[in-house]
């Protein structure tokens, strides 16, 4: 077993490095901590999943990479380095250059990102004109080839369609085409299939996977569903109540989950259509709840007395495999 030390797994970054990120929210007269010491990095072309139940902080972490946090959020500590520059200290001008062009975002619900009053062709063309400086016919051809690349049939005709004329799956393909039209270095997909029918979910995930592999775009996939990441992401961070509790390669995580929360998440995956889902007992704490020690202890079947009073630190337990749990404390 490797010598234990604080988790530095995957530290040799080239594209993105989040270091000790701490975010709080101002709610009425209170400052409520929400994200605690989140650190991870991503090389060019790599894929990483941020997984956890809703409210665990994965979307807030992602929005901080775009510097698009809600107005009541305060970054109390940490750095977000993208290509060597700190996003948290960038001017609005530089941020506008990076968003859309270098870092693209795929939201959960495509309707929130599409304007119902314009055709999808016009909307993607606007992005292409802004970020690639193309005009007229050249911009239009780029849009059509982007629509083809996400396997939208009859791309020429669809160019003139309005969002409401397309199915949910087709709208999500349009968003992906828009995100990719500027050939970003990093794609952030926030629950990209949640609003879609089950049959379409797999198609969209396969498409994201294919594009990521072909274009060597780095990918951060945010999901509450551990089941969707296995074939899409190389590495994974499991988050619970604002902290990363386990971090390793996806294959290693599925083969050898260390943290009791990860084990419970994996146990809750259905193995076939007839199995009953084993939900994790209890609820994740709300941001307003003050829980001492390990935040998972009220739900953990391995909890010890020390877990109620001390906070476990994310530590490398095995080579390239980190967990924050006192079970591995010797
Ligand atoms: Fe469970 Fe304790 Fe590990 Fe937390 S530190 S996951 S409560 S065993």
């Amino acid at each position: 077993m490797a010598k234990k030390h604080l988790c530095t797994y995957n530290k040799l970054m080239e594209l993105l490095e989040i270091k000790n990120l701490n975010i709080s929210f101002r709610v009425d007269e209170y400052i409520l901590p929400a994200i605690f010491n989140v650190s991870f990095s991503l090389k060019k072309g790599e894929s990483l999943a941020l997984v956890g139940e809703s409210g665990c902080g994965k979307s807030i972490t992602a929005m901080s990479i775009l510097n698009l946090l809600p107005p009541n959020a305060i970054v109390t500590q940490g750095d977000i380095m993208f290509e060597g520059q700190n996003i948290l200290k960038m001017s609005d001008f530089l941020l506008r250059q990076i968003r859309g062009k270098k870092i693209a975002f795929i939201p959960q619900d495509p309707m929130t990102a599409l304007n119902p009053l314009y055709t999808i062709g016009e909307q993607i063309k606007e992005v292409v004109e802004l970020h690639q400086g193309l005009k007229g016919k050249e911009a239009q051809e780029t849009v059509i080839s982007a629509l083809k690349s996400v396997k939208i049939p009859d791309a020429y005709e669809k160019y003139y369609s309005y969002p409401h004329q397309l199915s949910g799956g087709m709208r999500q393909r349009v968003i992906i085409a828009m995100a990719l039209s500027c050939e970003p270095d990093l794609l952030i997909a926030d629950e990209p299939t949640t609003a879609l029918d089950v049959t379409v979910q797999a198609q969209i995930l396969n498409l994201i996977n294919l594009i990521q592999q072909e274009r060597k775009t780095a990918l951060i996939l945010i999901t509450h569903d551990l089941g969707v990441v296995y074939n899409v992401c190389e590495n994974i961070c499991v988050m619970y109540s604002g902290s990363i509790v386990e971090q390793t390669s996806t294959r290693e995580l599925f083969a050898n989950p260390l943290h009791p929360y990860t084990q419970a998440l994996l146990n809750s995956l259905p193995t076939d259509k007839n199995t009953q889902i084993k939900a994790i007992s209890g609820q994740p704490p709300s941001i307003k709840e003050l829980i001492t020690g390990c935040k998972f202890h009220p739900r953990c079947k391995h909890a010890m007395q020390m877990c109620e009073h001390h906070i476990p630190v994310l530590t490398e337990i095995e080579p390239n495999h980190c967990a924050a749990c006192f079970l591995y404390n010797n």
Side-chain angles (χ1 to χ4, degrees):
M1 186 177 284
K3 189 174 178 295
K4 287 181 192 171
H5 49 77
L6 294 191
C7 192
T8 53
Y9 167 53
N10 212 10
K11 200 86 176 173
L12 294 170
M13 57 73 62
E14 289 163 24
L15 190 68
L16 176 76
E17 186 176 13
I18 297 190
K19 296 191 269 193
N20 291 327
L21 185 68
N22 285 264
I23 300 173
S24 294
F25 283 90
R26 199 186 307 275
V27 180
D28 301 325
E29 69 271 35
Y30 301 104
I31 303 287
L32 304 175
I35 300 290
F36 305 88
N37 294 324
V38 163
S39 298
F40 62 83
S41 58
L42 200 64
K43 299 184 186 84
K44 283 187 179 172
E46 254 184 0
S47 54
L48 172 87
L50 287 182
V51 178
E53 287 162 293
S54 117
C56 71
K58 52 196 190 303
S59 292
I60 291 296
T61 303
M63 294 321 274
S64 69
I65 300 169
L66 294 155
N67 208 336
L68 284 176
L69 288 167
N72 65 335
I74 311 159
V75 177
T76 52
Q77 197 188 319
D79 296 307
I80 300 177
M81 308 301 293
F82 181 77
E83 293 184 333
Q85 286 186 289
N86 194 342
I87 283 186
L88 298 174
K89 293 184 178 155
M90 270 181 200
S91 65
D92 287 347
F93 175 77
L94 259 181
L95 280 170
R96 278 197 298 274
Q97 306 279 308
I98 281 184
R99 284 188 211 124
K101 180 151 177 64
K102 295 229 166 211
I103 306 177
F105 183 66
I106 302 173
Q108 192 174 115
D109 181 0
M111 275 315 263
T112 58
L114 290 170
N115 188 328
L117 302 177
Y118 293 91
T119 67
I120 58 161
E122 286 171 301
Q123 295 185 57
I124 304 176
K125 189 161 161 256
E126 194 182 328
V127 176
V128 167
E129 286 173 347
L130 179 71
H131 289 300
Q132 292 198 31
L134 301 176
K135 293 268 173 267
K137 193 104 188 104
E138 206 180 353
Q140 190 173 4
E141 287 303 325
T142 303
V143 174
I144 287 165
S145 94
L147 292 175
K148 284 182 183 167
S149 75
V150 295
K151 319 258 181 285
I152 290 185
D154 309 319
Y156 280 96
E157 289 87 69
K158 291 290 188 319
Y159 183 97
Y160 299 100
S161 299
Y162 288 88
H164 73 271
Q165 295 174 305
L166 303 178
S167 66
M170 281 298 148
R171 286 198 288 262
Q172 196 57 297
R173 284 173 195 265
V174 169
I175 292 293
I176 296 170
M178 193 184 281
L180 293 171
S181 59
C182 296
E183 301 184 347
D185 297 315
L186 171 61
L187 191 60
I188 301 176
D190 188 1
E191 305 270 11
T193 59
T194 303
L196 305 175
D197 293 344
V198 178
T199 46
V200 184
Q201 287 182 2
Q203 294 169 14
I204 295 295
L205 282 169
N206 287 341
L207 177 67
I208 291 174
N209 190 21
L210 186 77
I211 285 167
Q212 195 261 330
Q213 309 256 322
E214 278 179 4
R215 301 189 181 207
K216 306 274 179 267
T217 309
L219 170 71
I220 296 179
L221 175 67
I222 295 155
T223 178
H224 65 279
D225 185 354
L226 198 48
V228 308
V229 304
Y230 190 77
N231 292 318
V232 183
C233 293
E234 300 157 80
N235 296 311
I236 188 162
C237 293
V238 178
M239 290 188 74
Y240 187 79
S241 193
S243 300
I244 294 175
V245 295
E246 188 156 2
Q247 189 173 14
T248 186
S249 72
T250 307
R251 279 181 191 279
E252 165 69 8
L253 187 106
F254 275 75
N256 180 28
L258 296 178
H259 196 280
Y261 176 60
T262 312
Q263 292 167 356
L265 276 182
L266 282 168
N267 276 338
S268 69
L269 291 179
T271 44
D272 62 56
K273 275 191 284 187
N274 301 318
T275 13
Q276 235 187 333
I277 293 171
K278 293 182 215 119
I280 307 172
S281 64
Q283 294 293 323
S286 88
I287 187 174
K288 291 183 179 165
E289 265 177 89
L290 189 66
I291 294 188
T292 57
C294 171
K295 294 270 189 71
F296 189 57
H297 86 255
R299 303 172 80 187
C300 180
K301 61 181 181 188
H302 302 289
M304 304 165 275
Q305 208 176 17
M306 67 184 302
C307 307
E308 295 174 31
H309 306 291
H310 301 281
I311 300 171
V313 175
L314 193 66
T315 307
E316 192 167 41
I317 310 293
E318 292 174 11
N320 292 340
H321 193 160
C322 306
C325 177
F326 291 127
L327 287 176
Y328 307 96
N329 224 12
N330 46 36

